Every structure is written in C-alpha cells, then in structure tokens.
Amino acid sequence: EFLSEAERIAKKHLMTRAQFLALIWHETSFTMSPRVENHMGFTGLIQFETMEGSKKAQRIRQKKGRPLNNNLATIVDVSKAMGRGSKPFTKKELKSMTRTEQLKLVDAYIEMRFKGEYPKDEFMLGRIYCSIIYPAGRRLPSDYPVFARGPEVYAKFTNHPYLKSKSRMKHA
C-alpha cells in the first residue's frame, strides 16, 4: 500500500518512485519512519514543523514571553491545504499516522509549494528537496551552491525575514 501510494505521488510530481523515496529516506535519517523526530523537534516523513513548534523555537518564544504555538509552522499550511481549516495536525497526530497516511501530507506539501508548476530542468529533484529543507532555495539559480556559505548570501534571492535579519544570521 505504501509503495503504491508513493508511486502515485511520485508520478504526480514528475519523479520516479525511487527519487521520491530517496527524499523521504534522507529526511527520516534513513528510517522511513513517520514518527522520527530530529534534534530541532521537526517530525515525520519530511520533518514537518508542527504548531507545537521546534524545541528551539519553543525556547525562544518562552524567553520572549510569547505563546508556545507556532502559527507559522509548515503543518498549518498543509492542514489548510488538506481541508482541516484552523485545526492543524499536531506532532502527536503525525506520530500516530502510518507511513501511508502521512504520505498524503507529503503530497499536499509538494502540491502547496509548486502548484503543479515544476521547473523544466535537470535540477527539478533538487528543487523539490530544497522546498522541503530550505523552501526559499527552490528559487535559487540552478548553479548556485545551496548551504555552501552563510545564510546572508541567500538573502538577496528571497523575501524571507529570517534571512534578512542580521541578528538571526549570526545564529543560523
């Protein structure tokens, strides 16, 4: 069931099943587990940031006296795209899903990022992966080295406030 669904999603997004599974394999630290959580607190097949936020983001919000919920989390947009409105998936829900169930969220995520319009070059798979690990990176020129230098280099290619903030750059 999982492989059939992976095949369907891969074809929909112009990848082979092997390419699609390689993205998940890498994101899950080679486990293919929908329950895997990274050191930042991101969870699942493509390491979604949930409303609870990453552990680092929670600590920052606590220090500043802000609410712990992260309304800008990736899972908020994915949840909306899947018709859940203002009730985003939680980390607990993600961890309770099977791989096949969570593939639907991965599909919604890729669809949300590209809206069916994929780059027509040999770097398309890299751009899809960048949409997962570094969303702004999918718009960089195809010959631009991603993560080869500090984040200030990439700020000119995106309007993302995180990259333009001098105080945050030294912590990135």
Side-chain angles (χ1 to χ4, degrees):
E1 186 180 3
F2 173 74
L3 292 175
S4 295
E5 184 67 4
E7 179 80 28
R8 183 192 69 76
I9 293 169
K11 282 183 181 177
K12 176 181 176 183
H13 300 296
L14 307 179
M15 292 179 272
T16 66
R17 183 174 72 182
Q19 290 171 325
F20 180 63
L21 292 175
L23 294 175
I24 293 170
W25 177 252
H26 183 75
E27 279 292 285
T28 60
S29 299
F30 321 114
T31 66
M32 301 299 280
S33 170
R35 289 171 282 291
V36 70
E37 185 175 332
N38 72 11
H39 70 284
M40 295 289 291
F42 291 43
T43 305
L45 294 179
I46 60 169
Q47 298 296 282
F48 293 102
E49 182 178 10
T50 60
M51 278 290 284
E52 301 92 339
S54 69
K55 292 172 185 173
K56 183 178 179 181
Q58 280 185 350
R59 284 192 302 273
I60 291 168
R61 282 194 293 278
Q62 274 183 320
K63 281 183 183 178
K64 294 183 177 184
R66 294 184 181 157
L68 290 181
N69 283 345
N70 180 7
N71 293 321
L72 300 176
T74 309
I75 202 69
V76 173
D77 292 331
V78 170
S79 299
K80 287 177 185 173
M82 294 185 72
R84 283 183 57 136
S86 62
K87 188 180 184 301
F89 292 98
T90 64
K91 189 179 291 192
K92 184 176 180 179
E93 283 179 282
L94 285 175
K95 287 184 172 188
S96 72
M97 291 179 178
T98 66
R99 288 186 305 185
T100 305
E101 290 169 334
Q102 211 176 97
L103 277 179
K104 292 173 177 63
L105 278 71
V106 175
D107 181 23
Y109 178 85
I110 296 171
E111 182 64 35
M112 178 183 75
R113 291 287 185 216
F114 290 94
K115 296 175 178 57
E117 296 181 18
Y118 303 97
K120 304 288 190 243
D121 62 26
E122 67 272 23
F123 302 104
M124 197 246 338
L125 184 63
R127 293 181 195 282
I128 289 176
Y129 184 63
C130 269
S131 80
I132 295 167
I133 193 167
Y134 175 61
R138 73 184 189 279
R139 292 187 298 270
L140 293 172
S142 59
D143 62 346
Y144 206 86
V146 177
F147 297 122
R149 296 182 250 167
E152 65 279 357
V153 174
Y154 307 110
K156 64 184 174 183
F157 294 103
T158 180
N159 290 325
H160 195 288
Y162 183 85
L163 294 175
K164 290 189 175 184
S165 167
K166 299 277 187 220
S167 64
R168 290 183 178 166
M169 276 188 216
K170 62 184 172 189
H171 301 294

